[in-house]
Structure formats: C-alpha cells, structure tokens
Amino acid sequence: MKPNRLFTKTLFLSLLAMATLFVACKDDDKEPENVDTNPIVGTWQLNGVKTTAGADLPQLPVVLAGAPCLFSLKFEFMSNNKVTAKDCPNATALMTSFLPINAETTWKVDGSTLTLTNGTNIKTFPLSQTEKEMKITVSIDLTGTGTPTTGVMVFNKL
C-alpha cells in the first residue's frame, strides 16, 4: 500500500508543478502599442475654411449648402496614429476626394507635413499647429473646372 501512496503523492506533486509552470510561463512580453505624443493627438473641430491670405474661402457658401453641419465637423487624432472624422457625415462625404478619412485612416506628422494613409492612398498636406489651433492646407476643385482652389482648414482643439 505504501508504494501506491508514494505514487499518488508523486503524481499529485508533478501535476501541481506542471500547473504552476504553465501559469508562470504566461506570455507577458507582448509588444507595446505605439503611442504618438505629437500635439495633434486629440479632438479638433473645424472653425473655418480660409484662403491662404486668411479671408473666408469665396466658395464657402456652396460648401455649406452641401454640408450645413460643416462647422460641427471634428477630427479625432488618436495616439495609436488612427484618425476619424465625426459629427458631419455630409462634410466627410464631400471631402473623400481630397481628405480621405475613414475607419482605416492613419496619420503621421513629420515637421510641418501631415500624411494621411488609407490603404494604398497616401496624401500629404502642409500643416501648422499650436497647442490650440491647427491649419491644414488643401487643394480642391470646388468649381468643377479642373482648376484646384487652395484652402486652409482651421481647427480648434477641444
């Protein structure tokens, strides 16, 4: 009877040691998520669409007719380098040709250049930013003539 008891204890201790080893070897070495600390991280609301000289864009009434919620438009730049547009689907739809932002879009700031990547679609924009204001310069054909207009989208950080 003693050999059976010894076998049972040995088996129990072996199983206990294996269970402890299994739990102790859990994969704790996961790759940390990239976190970007650029001041662009946060939520920005569109405050104006200007010419490069600082005046309101002359075609602004046409844009507002198609997207009356334009000045409710917000861009959320996340620290994992994703960006989303929200609160004005009409403006987001109007912008798809020159400023394509959807759930798959990523951002990168390099000096005074903002790069938006959406799959194989990569667009770069001149960018100036302070802690509270951001300006993105875009070229768009607002008249349908093929002649692009340069505009500056002015955002305030919320």
Side-chain angles (χ1 to χ4, degrees):
M1 189 94 165
K2 283 190 175 189
N4 194 14
R5 181 185 255 177
L6 182 62
F7 176 74
T8 306
K9 284 183 180 180
T10 306
L11 180 62
F12 174 74
L13 288 174
S14 297
L15 288 173
L16 183 62
M18 285 176 48
T20 304
L21 241 158
F22 180 74
V23 172
C25 291
K26 187 176 92 175
D27 185 17
D28 289 335
D29 299 330
K30 291 184 180 177
E31 189 75 26
E33 185 176 315
N34 286 342
V35 175
D36 200 316
T37 58
N38 187 287
I40 200 171
V41 172
T43 303
W44 298 83
Q45 184 168 352
L46 185 64
N47 186 39
V49 183
K50 309 285 185 182
T51 65
T52 51
D56 280 343
L57 198 65
Q59 297 89 344
L60 187 56
V62 175
V63 176
L64 284 170
C69 60
L70 182 65
F71 294 114
S72 296
L73 176 67
K74 294 176 187 74
F75 288 166
E76 183 176 1
F77 291 87
M78 293 167 266
S79 63
N80 65 356
N81 294 95
K82 295 277 189 181
V83 60
T84 59
K86 57 185 181 180
D87 294 343
C88 187
N90 291 355
T92 305
L94 285 173
M95 293 186 315
T96 55
S97 64
F98 67 93
L99 198 62
I101 295 180
N102 65 30
E104 302 302 315
T105 306
T106 60
W107 65 269
K108 179 181 178 186
V109 173
D110 187 13
S112 60
T113 302
L114 170 65
T115 302
L116 297 177
T117 304
N118 200 338
T120 59
N121 187 4
I122 300 170
K123 301 233 178 181
T124 59
F125 305 92
L127 170 76
S128 68
Q129 68 183 62
T130 64
E131 190 176 313
K132 296 289 181 183
E133 184 179 75
M134 172 175 64
K135 295 178 181 178
I136 302 173
T137 303
V138 296
S139 291
I140 52 176
D141 180 9
L142 292 172
T143 60
T145 62
T147 305
T149 300
T150 300
V152 179
M153 299 176 73
V154 181
F155 291 86
N156 290 96
K157 194 166 193 177
L158 300 180

